[in-house]
Amino acid sequence: MKPEELISMMEKARADSSAFEHEIRVCTESGCMSLQSDTLLKALGDEVKTRGMTDKICVKGVGCMGLCCNGPLVQADTAMYQFAKPEHASAIVQGLSTQPVAELLCNTQQPFFTRQKLVVRENSGHVDPESLVDCIAHGAYQALLKALTTMTPHQVIQEISDSGLRGRGGAGFPTGLKWATVSKAGGSDKYVICNGDEGDPGAFMDRSVMEGDPHRVLEGMAIAAYAVGAENGVIYVRAEYPLAVKRLTKAINLARRHELIGHNIFGTKFSFNVELRLGAGAFVCGEETALIASVEGKRGVPRPRPPYPANSGLFGCPTLINNVETYANVAPIINKGAAWFAQIGTEKSKGTKIFALTGTVKNCGLIEVAMGMPLREIIYDIAGGVPNGKAFKAVQTGGPSGGCIPAELLDITVDYESLAKAGSIMGSGGMIVMDETSNMVDVARFFMEFCMTESCGKCVPCRVGTYEMHQLLNRICEKRGTPEDLQLLKDLCGMVKQTSLCGLGQSAPNPVLSTLRYFEHEYLDLVNQTQAAHADQSPAATGEHIELEVLP
Amino acid sequence: MRPATSTVESLTLQIDGKDISCRSGETILQVARDNNIDIPTLCFLEGLTVWGGCRLCMVEIAGSPKLHAACATTCAEGMVVSTASPRLKEYRKMIVEMLFAERNHVCAVCVSNGHCELQNMAVKLEIDHVRFPYRFPHLEVDNSHDAMRLDQNRCILCVRCVRVCGEIEGAHTKDVKGRGVLAAIIHDLDQPWGESETCTACGKCVNVCPTGALTHRGTAVGEMTKKAQFLPYLTLMREAKS
Ligand SMILES: Cc1cc2nc3c(=O)[nH]c(=O)nc-3n(C[C@H](O)[C@H](O)[C@H](O)COP(=O)(O)O)c2cc1C
Ligand code: SF4
Ligand code: SF4
């Protein structure tokens, strides 16, 4: 595609869409789809057809609008509808020319919507992810055009560095620095990889970006490839995300057909190709070196770093690996400039972050907020607080590598540093809210079970350590634990954290450590109950330690 | 293994208070061993690629908050390494105890009794009991091969056998299935060893296996001795050729 073609395609698509008098948008991401939003979309289309208004009303499937727990969500002109069902199709279409359907109306002036800051998700809920034309009408590939035709690779990297963007995959590594390292690495063959393995329980931010605005991810990768000097890209998506796979496949095919990826993009010397690879259901394959091994066709286990992928990654070549959300931030930064991006967020954490709100809160779903928002505001204003008159107890952030933050720390702000200081991490953006009925030892046990079953088995501390910690947590939860068990649990936490090979093992003790830090009394209560129950029995009855002779 | 570096420089560093010089590209483990400083390992074997799985060789490097695997960390100028702090010793003990708790290591009836690297490691680290609950898993013994036997009860998943089979023999008969504590050594597509079409029956895996997991058939309790010394020789010859 030539630059002029992109512009004329955009202008034509915009003119075409403004020719419609009305627009109905239906969420067609996994959450709403599971509530038959696809049937609803079809019913709306049929309704418009029977009324003979196809030239006046545009009906399209779009990405997530955020308030997933009230889905399916429909936007009909200015009215947002919640809990919409196929049988509401006629009323919704009728409502366009008369009054909106009152009983379905969703208040878009509530803090859930007004307190958000949309950067990555600005087009989610507006564009049809399966239509390249619609995405282009909303500005897709303009940043790529700008980068390829008006900026040097060095300038692109400088822009990303100046923006202060940090990796959204968990660790928050400065993205510009990573790009600069890969660009400086020797060798002609380089790769860019997009990490879409998203395996944290309760997290679905990346899925939403891939399902709702796949071209934005491709565009970010293409810009990254240009910046670091790579010609090939791989998107690694977990196979449990079939819709994301479908949408990405379609996006890649369309972009290829229109020469937005391929040889000599926009008539420049830059060529870029992308392939999609599916994960096979292993959490550890989200770890970068395991992911690379998996793409190479090997068993997906991590390897010691250094060498880092930036120097020796896929097939031994310098490789840039970033998270889906990281790439999705690139196009707006190139379009609007580093300074614009850097004014959002805090001093060290720039931009916005998407969170997946789940657990016992009124509003579950996806939100995007500026970094630095107090946790209290997210949980009480945006998420609407804990329902059914229960008291808030803790919020778990960062998935199995993160920790639980108690009520007394709700005033901390959400950014990399303060979450880490509170004993948790930003992680990929899962936020699980728990009310007073949650047992924190049980929460720790849940995450430990996850780590135990997801440990790849390569290194001993994680393989056996997570198993032993899970056993100990089981015993404590079942009121069979002794003070010695609790001590052993603590010792294991330190050892597993310090000696494991990869991030999975190194962070597996975090849920235990953070619950011990803020809720140790719950552990002690359970242990004391064991003591009381067994006070009149021999100590041997409380545990099942069997001492075996190991030496000859 | 010595990573190929085109420009070899000499470096100086300190290990356990001892000033040592080495060449750039060498790992802490190599340099320590060259200087008679013993860092325990179980998965490392000279001649095979570095694996970094047993985590026994973790050392402290001054100025770094993390521990580092000596087998996978190259030396740097001025590095100050400590290999035997009380914390490291304690961690090593825990790791070896966990290996004993993981599967069924009943030394008294093992063919490798007295010649076992795991057992020797326990003695060296002065382990006299295991603090962790035992798992007692039900595991199989693969007796299907004419000459060799795999006893999963004694396997510590060091994957020396997998590496020697793929990297040295070039057969890649062995690999790993499953994850976590359920991971296990398999042959071809998880079929009985005796039915493997790729196994050349070279016996290298038996000789590199640190425990009684891989043994020659027909050995009785305490009779199985291993000869892993062939490896450095083989790799040296190969390097000389290429
Ligand atoms: C056990 C484990 C699982 C991980 N899973 C993911 C994941 O699902 N998605 C992701 O983007 N990063 C994941 N990471 C982090 C990646 O290793 C890597 O740091 C990240 O993709 C880098 O991208 P970023 O710089 O854009 O954050 C995981 C790390 C570990 C240790
Ligand atoms: S820490 Fe766990 S997941 Fe990571 S390499 Fe070790 S065993 Fe595998
Ligand atoms: S069979 Fe022996 S060499 Fe192979 S992984 Fe098990 S202990 Fe290691």
Side-chain angles (χ1 to χ4, degrees), chain A residues 281 299 453-461 463 467-468 488 495 498-501 545-546 548 550-552, chain B residues 51 53 55 72 87 91 98-99 101-102 107 113 119 127 129 131-135 156-157 176 178-181:
Chain A
R299 181 175 155 84
T453 45
E454 292 299 336
S455 162
C456 78
K458 175 167 178 170
C459 70
V460 186
R463 181 178 81 224
Y467 170 85
E468 295 291 357
L488 192 54
M495 192 272 289
Q498 294 288 326
T499 58
S500 289
L501 169 59
H545 278 288
I546 301 173
L548 272 198
V550 294
L551 303 175
Chain B
W51 182 241
R55 316 309 281 172
R87 168 171 73 145
Y91 287 169
M98 288 203 294
L99 283 173
E102 185 185 15
C107 301
N113 194 4
Q119 201 179 45
I127 293 173
H129 75 291
R131 68 192 90 171
F132 305 108
Y134 282 82
R135 267 182 75 231
I156 58 169
L157 285 170
V176 183
R179 32 178 124 137
V181 282

Side-chain angles (χ1 to χ4, degrees), chain A residues 16-76:
Chain A
D16 288 351
S17 72
S18 59
F20 288 107
E21 282 167 27
H22 304 285
E23 188 175 70
I24 303 180
R25 303 193 300 265
V26 183
C27 170
T28 49
E29 280 195 21
S30 295
C32 285
M33 286 271 256
S34 66
L35 296 162
Q36 294 178 312
S37 68
D38 46 346
T39 321
L40 170 63
L41 177 67
K42 192 168 170 298
L44 284 164
D46 292 346
E47 184 65 31
V48 170
K49 224 174 277 165
T50 36
R51 290 179 188 236
M53 296 175 80
T54 42
D55 55 338
K56 293 211 175 66
I57 304 174
C58 165
V59 179
K60 65 181 184 184
V62 294
C64 175
M65 298 178 225
L67 196 55
C68 304
C69 59
N70 292 8
L73 294 178
V74 175
Q75 182 83 42

Side-chain angles (χ1 to χ4, degrees), chain A residues 27-34 61-64 68 121 123-125 127-131 135 198 204-217 237-238 240-248 251 324 366:
Chain A
C27 170
T28 49
E29 280 195 21
S30 295
C32 285
M33 286 271 256
S34 66
V62 294
C64 175
C68 304
R121 287 167 56 75
N123 286 339
S124 184
V127 299
D128 176 355
E130 303 202 14
S131 158
C135 290
E198 196 172 53
F204 48 100
M205 302 76 50
D206 294 350
R207 182 187 77 193
S208 175
V209 174
M210 294 186 283
E211 289 179 357
D213 201 358
H215 287 286
R216 175 176 288 250
V217 181
V237 188
R238 65 200 304 234
E240 293 90 332
Y241 284 174
L243 191 62
V245 171
K246 183 181 149 216
R247 300 247 163 101
L248 280 169
V324 172
L366 285 177

Side-chain angles (χ1 to χ4, degrees), chain A residues 448 461-462 465-466 469 472 485-502 505-514 516, chain B residues 55 58 60 65-67 87-88 90-92 94-95 98 131-132:
Chain A
M448 192 53 73
C462 168
T466 54
M469 286 193 281
L472 292 167
D485 287 339
L486 190 55
Q487 187 52 49
L488 192 54
L489 180 67
K490 290 179 185 170
D491 294 347
L492 271 169
C493 282
M495 192 272 289
V496 173
K497 206 174 164 62
Q498 294 288 326
T499 58
S500 289
L501 169 59
C502 85
Q506 287 162 8
S507 61
N510 286 357
V512 180
L513 288 170
S514 78
L516 270 172
Chain B
R55 316 309 281 172
M58 301 306 282
E60 290 165 358
K66 288 193 193 166
L67 301 181
R87 168 171 73 145
L88 291 173
E90 182 59 18
Y91 287 169
R92 287 183 189 135
M94 287 172 103
I95 288 171
M98 288 203 294
R131 68 192 90 171
F132 305 108

